[in-house]
Amino acid sequence: MDKFRIMVQFLQANQESFMNGICGIMALASAQMYSSFEFTCPCLPDYNYAYGIGILIVPPIWFFLLGYVLNNNISVLTEEWKRPVGKRRKDPAVLRYMFSSMTQRALIAPVVWVAVTLMDGKSFLCAFSATADLSEFLNESYPILSKKELVKFQARIPCEDVFDGHEIISIDAATRYIRCFSQACGWSFLMVITIVAFLIRAIRPCFTQAAFLKTKYWSHYIDTERKLFDETCKEHAKGFAKVCIQQYFESVSGEIVPQSQLPTKKGKGKKDDDDGEKQKSDEEKLLGIRKEEDMNKVLWNWHLCKPALMLTKRPEDMNGHAHLDTLSLSKECNHHTPVKTTAVAYYSKV
Amino acid sequence: MDRLKLVLQYFQSNSESISNGICIILSLISVKLYTSFDFNCPCLPQYNKMYALGVMFVPPIILFLLGVLVNRHTGVLMEEWVRPLGKRTKNPAVVKFLLSSVFQRSLLAPMVWILMTLLDGKCFICAFSMNVDPKYFTGIPNSTGLELIKIMAKVPCKEDVIFKNSSFRKAVSRYVRCYSQAIGWSILLFFIFLGAVGRVLKPCFNHATFLQTRYWSNYLDIEQKLFDETCVLHARDFARKCVVQFFENMREDVTVRMPLSSALRLSTIHNEYEEEEEEHLHGITRQDQVDHLLQTWYECKPELDVTRMAYKPKVCITWEDINGKAMFSEV
């Protein structure tokens, strides 16, 4: 039991921490990309705004989509959304929950990019230097420029190497002013995002907590089921291949290893034991599916008609459906497993 | 692998140490954020104060909210606060204890930020350089024709052209920074003193009640973790059985070619794994049962009484001799 606990904790922690790790890596990648990106403002009145705001908005959209692409759960979500109803009804709350948790994770890298861009100030400087009201930084003793010339002149402010009007305007003061505005926007943006996240996560338990527990359980279940199905298919394929190859060899050699002798091999030493067990586990792995058409049917129906979420009782019920040729064998098997009668006494510890 | 397991066990067993770790990480993030932030005082009389006080107080609010968000106990606290009464009474002292522990941990990162801004001094210089009376300092540049307040507002900006060859700016900066650092150290000393007094005097008041509330708040945390863990295990076994059942149901529609598969199923070799699987399902095998379980967990939490489970009758086999004396007993 302890082994299971540790494994489950590790897996659960691992899966969540894996997703959080991807989030963190993308956020760091976004910050690193910004610092290594060489920002070159065009310094032309018609293109400054487009470039500045483009740098602010286009990479976040790209990171957001990348966040969806890198998330494994997107295919689980679309599969669950698109499947036919089959024997299992669909719960829209589960779909919403999965979508919202994926969106929350995908939003982290874009937020980091926008925040870093605003704190740095270069994009705002590029976008708004041409159109901002910088009259208080202009040198009053200089003749007033026409509006068009002023715009063209101000557009060159972000490019320090081509700017030549130091006597007309105090470039440091103007730059500081616009950067300060950009940083204020950045902090306000972060504040708004944090308050929204706080309201969503900390205040949510006040509303629909029971429904939340349900949707969380079933979305995790869907994910686990899918993984186990893939695992079972892999195991089945392995078993199928092994038995297929063995059958082929047997058909070529003409010898048939009688299958019914396998259970009795048990007592004959360790090696046979292992073989016997392995053979049995291969057989069990096949779960009764031994033909190509059957396997195709399994895979086809898995999507088109998902089974109901109801576990029936195990083997004893199934044998009721067994065919005639198993009757004799079941009698035989009864000899192998004599029913034991034991007298037990129940003692209470109280 | 074993070492990793040990480390994981240590961290998972002690949720307090996880919370402390996260708290410290947030403080380090706050320090890193401050050092990488490019402080850009506008040096204009109408915007200086607003900018500087904004930089001093807005990030702490953000860090505080983040600290509350990231703390596990927030979820436990909110759930305990809003749940219906059910079979379990609510203890407001536990809620208060959890709230105070969440707040204490979340306040560390904001305090670190505020102390760093005060000890560094840039925010104070930007905000309060205009309030300094310039007549105490020599060398004020009055040849530029600007108003006095505009000159004072430009003090935080080192590169400004009016302060070339003048020690006035440096003198005023030093003066304001000295004030800022004094306030910073006083606040730090005050909080350390408060913390020390609080810790020393706490056992003098209501220690027994404190022990109880600490126990029950820890219990709530562990209970929620174990419930989530049980749900995860249950989902895994439910999924496994569902998948196997699905494969087997497909088989029903087809003629059984190898009758031995059912014979093998009759084998009495139950591996331990199968037995443990049954254990994890705890009899919950249908969707509506799971839904009902989860609904009831929230709406009607069970009472805190495990006598029935702890004293479940166990099978005990006793070998007695002819006289009825017990020779050997096996539980």
Side-chain angles (χ1 to χ4, degrees):
Chain A
M1 190 60 194
D2 268 342
K3 227 188 296 177
F4 261 107
R5 268 202 76 200
I6 296 173
M7 193 177 76
V8 161
Q9 277 174 338
F10 186 72
L11 270 177
Q12 192 189 16
N14 211 14
Q15 194 196 33
E16 265 203 29
S17 63
F18 177 70
M19 291 313 306
N20 291 340
I22 295 238
C23 258
I25 287 175
M26 277 195 60
L28 286 173
S30 132
Q32 183 60 33
M33 255 188 84
Y34 182 81
S35 55
S36 50
F37 172 68
E38 218 181 283
F39 190 91
T40 42
C41 195
C43 292
L44 298 165
D46 305 319
Y47 299 110
N48 269 9
Y49 187 77
Y51 186 84
I53 298 296
I55 292 294
L56 185 64
I57 294 189
V58 169
I61 296 178
W62 185 76
F63 277 115
F64 183 66
L65 294 173
L66 190 68
Y68 272 120
V69 164
L70 288 181
N71 199 332
N72 291 334
N73 287 348
I74 185 95
S75 48
V76 176
L77 173 65
T78 34
E79 219 186 277
E80 178 65 16
W81 185 32
K82 278 299 179 190
R83 69 170 173 93
V85 176
K87 294 182 187 160
R88 188 189 293 185
R89 42 171 218 278
K90 288 208 257 193
D91 190 359
V94 170
L95 292 171
R96 278 199 301 265
Y97 173 80
M98 288 171 80
F99 183 70
S100 85
S101 83
M102 277 200 306
T103 309
Q104 281 173 29
R105 288 209 165 89
L107 275 175
I108 290 183
V111 163
V112 167
W113 176 278
V114 171
V116 169
T117 312
L118 289 174
M119 296 297 179
D120 193 29
K122 284 197 282 239
S123 81
F124 256 47
L125 183 66
C126 185
F128 296 116
S129 66
T131 49
D133 178 21
L134 301 172
S135 48
E136 63 182 292
F137 307 108
L138 288 171
N139 195 348
E140 282 138 7
S141 55
Y142 212 82
I144 300 172
L145 298 161
S146 71
K147 208 168 178 193
K148 213 172 161 195
E149 282 207 346
L150 189 67
V151 163
K152 217 168 152 190
F153 174 74
Q154 280 184 194
R156 287 208 294 272
I157 289 177
C159 304
E160 283 165 12
D161 39 355
V162 298
F163 188 70
D164 53 357
H166 291 278
E167 59 280 0
I168 306 175
I169 195 169
S170 161
I171 192 172
D172 288 331
T175 313
R176 261 201 311 266
Y177 172 69
I178 296 176
R179 281 191 76 202
C180 149
F181 183 66
S182 165
Q183 284 180 347
C185 284
W187 283 120
S188 320
F189 171 74
L190 276 180
M191 178 81 145
V192 165
I193 295 273
T194 312
I195 289 180
V196 166
F198 178 76
L199 287 175
I200 290 177
R201 291 201 87 160
I203 312 290
R204 191 202 28 79
C206 296
F207 312 97
T208 67
Q209 174 71 354
F212 172 72
L213 283 175
K214 256 190 271 188
T215 49
K216 193 168 80 158
Y217 178 89
W218 288 117
S219 73
H220 179 258
Y221 172 83
I222 290 170
D223 192 24
T224 310
E225 193 188 45
R226 186 179 185 242
K227 279 201 200 95
L228 280 171
F229 182 75
D230 290 340
E231 209 179 279
T232 313
C233 283
K234 268 198 211 122
E235 294 290 319
H236 185 274
K238 236 199 270 186
F240 203 40
K242 264 196 194 154
V243 174
C244 205
I245 290 170
Q246 190 185 31
Q247 249 175 230
Y248 171 70
F249 271 73
E250 283 170 11
S251 72
V252 166
S253 73
E255 259 180 53
I256 297 173
V257 177
Q259 297 280 349
S260 53
Q261 281 184 18
L262 280 171
T264 57
K265 257 192 187 175
K266 262 190 335 103
K268 285 189 188 166
K270 273 199 193 150
K271 191 165 175 274
D272 289 340
D273 238 345
D274 288 342
D275 284 347
E277 266 187 27
K278 252 196 253 174
Q279 198 79 28
K280 227 176 286 167
S281 58
D282 281 340
E283 284 290 331
E284 279 202 346
K285 275 182 205 165
L286 289 181
L287 296 169
I289 305 291
R290 311 177 81 85
K291 271 168 62 183
E292 185 189 342
E293 297 112 59
D294 298 343
M295 193 58 208
N296 283 340
K297 195 171 178 204
V298 163
L299 295 167
W300 192 257
N301 279 355
W302 182 252
H303 177 67
L304 287 180
C305 183
K306 271 220 160 64
L309 289 161
M310 187 182 321
L311 299 177
T312 52
K313 295 273 182 249
R314 284 239 36 284
E316 293 68 43
D317 283 1
M318 299 297 285
N319 283 335
H321 298 278
H323 291 246
L324 281 171
D325 42 7
T326 63
L327 268 176
S328 53
L329 273 154
S330 61
K331 270 197 217 150
E332 212 176 281
C333 282
N334 276 335
H335 287 301
H336 288 282
T337 63
V339 173
K340 289 196 193 95
T341 49
T342 27
V344 296
Y346 286 90
Y347 285 86
S348 156
K349 255 195 185 175
V350 177
Chain B
M1 192 63 195
D2 271 338
R3 220 178 292 170
L4 189 66
K5 265 191 230 166
L6 269 169
V7 167
L8 269 169
Q9 253 182 328
Y10 172 72
F11 270 112
Q12 300 283 8
S13 65
N14 201 358
S15 83
E16 271 213 19
S17 71
I18 297 180
S19 306
N20 290 343
I22 292 184
C23 180
I24 292 178
I25 287 177
L26 263 181
S27 317
L28 291 173
I29 289 179
S30 143
V31 169
K32 178 78 182 139
L33 212 64
Y34 183 79
T35 49
S36 53
F37 175 65
D38 191 11
F39 189 86
N40 183 57
C41 194
C43 292
L44 298 165
Q46 62 270 45
Y47 297 122
N48 267 11
K49 249 197 185 88
M50 204 159 51
Y51 180 83
L53 293 178
V55 168
M56 196 151 104
F57 292 117
V58 166
I61 297 176
I62 294 175
L63 287 166
F64 177 73
L65 291 176
L66 270 179
V68 171
L69 265 181
V70 162
N71 199 335
R72 234 192 79 81
H73 290 167
T74 313
V76 174
L77 160 73
M78 292 305 293
E79 235 189 83
E80 178 64 14
W81 189 29
V82 300
R83 69 170 172 92
L85 210 56
K87 294 184 185 158
R88 192 188 287 185
T89 54
K90 284 212 253 194
N91 188 355
V94 170
V95 173
K96 272 188 239 157
F97 178 82
L98 281 171
L99 190 73
S100 83
S101 93
V102 164
F103 271 13
Q104 277 172 31
R105 291 210 166 87
S106 312
L107 277 175
L108 183 65
M111 288 314 302
V112 166
W113 177 278
I114 292 179
L115 283 171
M116 281 198 69
T117 55
L118 287 173
L119 293 176
D120 190 27
K122 284 196 283 233
C123 276
F124 245 55
I125 296 174
C126 188
F128 297 116
S129 64
M130 295 177 295
N131 298 44
V132 172
D133 195 354
K135 65 175 189 280
Y136 295 118
F137 304 96
T138 56
I140 181 167
N142 50 4
S143 55
T144 52
L146 286 170
E147 295 165 16
L148 184 67
I149 196 161
K150 280 202 177 155
I151 298 175
M152 296 310 288
K154 281 187 194 281
V155 162
C157 298
K158 293 183 221 180
E159 332 69 48
D160 208 293
V161 77
I162 64 170
F163 291 120
K164 282 222 170 78
N165 306 324
S166 158
S167 60
F168 174 77
R169 186 198 65 78
K170 282 196 198 143
V172 174
S173 301
R174 254 204 314 272
Y175 176 70
V176 181
R177 178 178 280 141
C178 153
Y179 251 108
S180 160
Q181 287 179 343
I183 293 178
W185 285 116
S186 320
I187 290 181
L188 185 62
L189 201 66
F190 173 71
F191 276 115
I192 290 178
F193 180 69
L194 202 69
V197 163
R199 280 210 102 159
V200 163
L201 291 183
K202 192 153 72 166
C204 301
F205 306 94
N206 286 340
H207 193 62
T209 326
F210 166 70
L211 286 175
Q212 280 177 351
T213 47
R214 195 174 64 174
Y215 176 86
W216 287 116
S217 67
N218 192 37
Y219 170 83
L220 284 175
D221 185 23
I222 292 177
E223 193 189 46
Q224 201 196 55
K225 256 200 281 219
L226 280 174
F227 182 76
D228 289 340
E229 203 180 282
T230 312
C231 282
V232 164
L233 283 172
H234 183 273
R236 197 174 161 83
D237 292 325
F238 199 83
R240 174 172 290 121
K241 288 203 131 85
C242 206
V243 167
V244 168
Q245 203 172 270
F246 176 73
F247 271 73
E248 288 171 6
N249 281 345
M250 288 291 116
R251 186 193 67 129
E252 261 189 277
D253 303 344
V254 166
T255 318
V256 173
R257 295 202 178 226
M258 298 295 290
L260 280 158
S261 14
S262 52
L264 286 167
R265 216 170 297 293
L266 278 177
S267 91
T268 51
I269 301 162
H270 294 289
N271 46 359
E272 279 176 10
Y273 193 66
E274 271 190 27
E275 275 176 2
E276 283 192 29
E277 266 188 30
E278 291 290 338
E279 209 185 287
H280 288 156
L281 280 180
H282 301 290
I284 308 290
T285 53
R286 288 200 324 265
Q287 183 179 11
D288 52 335
Q289 284 177 330
V290 173
D291 284 343
H292 180 69
L293 181 139
L294 294 168
Q295 181 99 9
T296 318
W297 178 254
Y298 174 66
E299 282 179 358
C300 183
K301 271 223 161 62
E303 52 192 349
L304 291 163
D305 180 7
V306 295
T307 320
R308 196 166 52 99
M309 214 37 195
Y311 293 116
K312 214 186 319 203
K314 285 207 176 87
V315 172
C316 172
I317 301 170
T318 309
W319 275 261
E320 292 177 340
D321 65 357
I322 307 166
N323 302 326
K325 197 172 90 177
M327 282 167 30
F328 180 75
S329 127
E330 179 185 278
V331 176

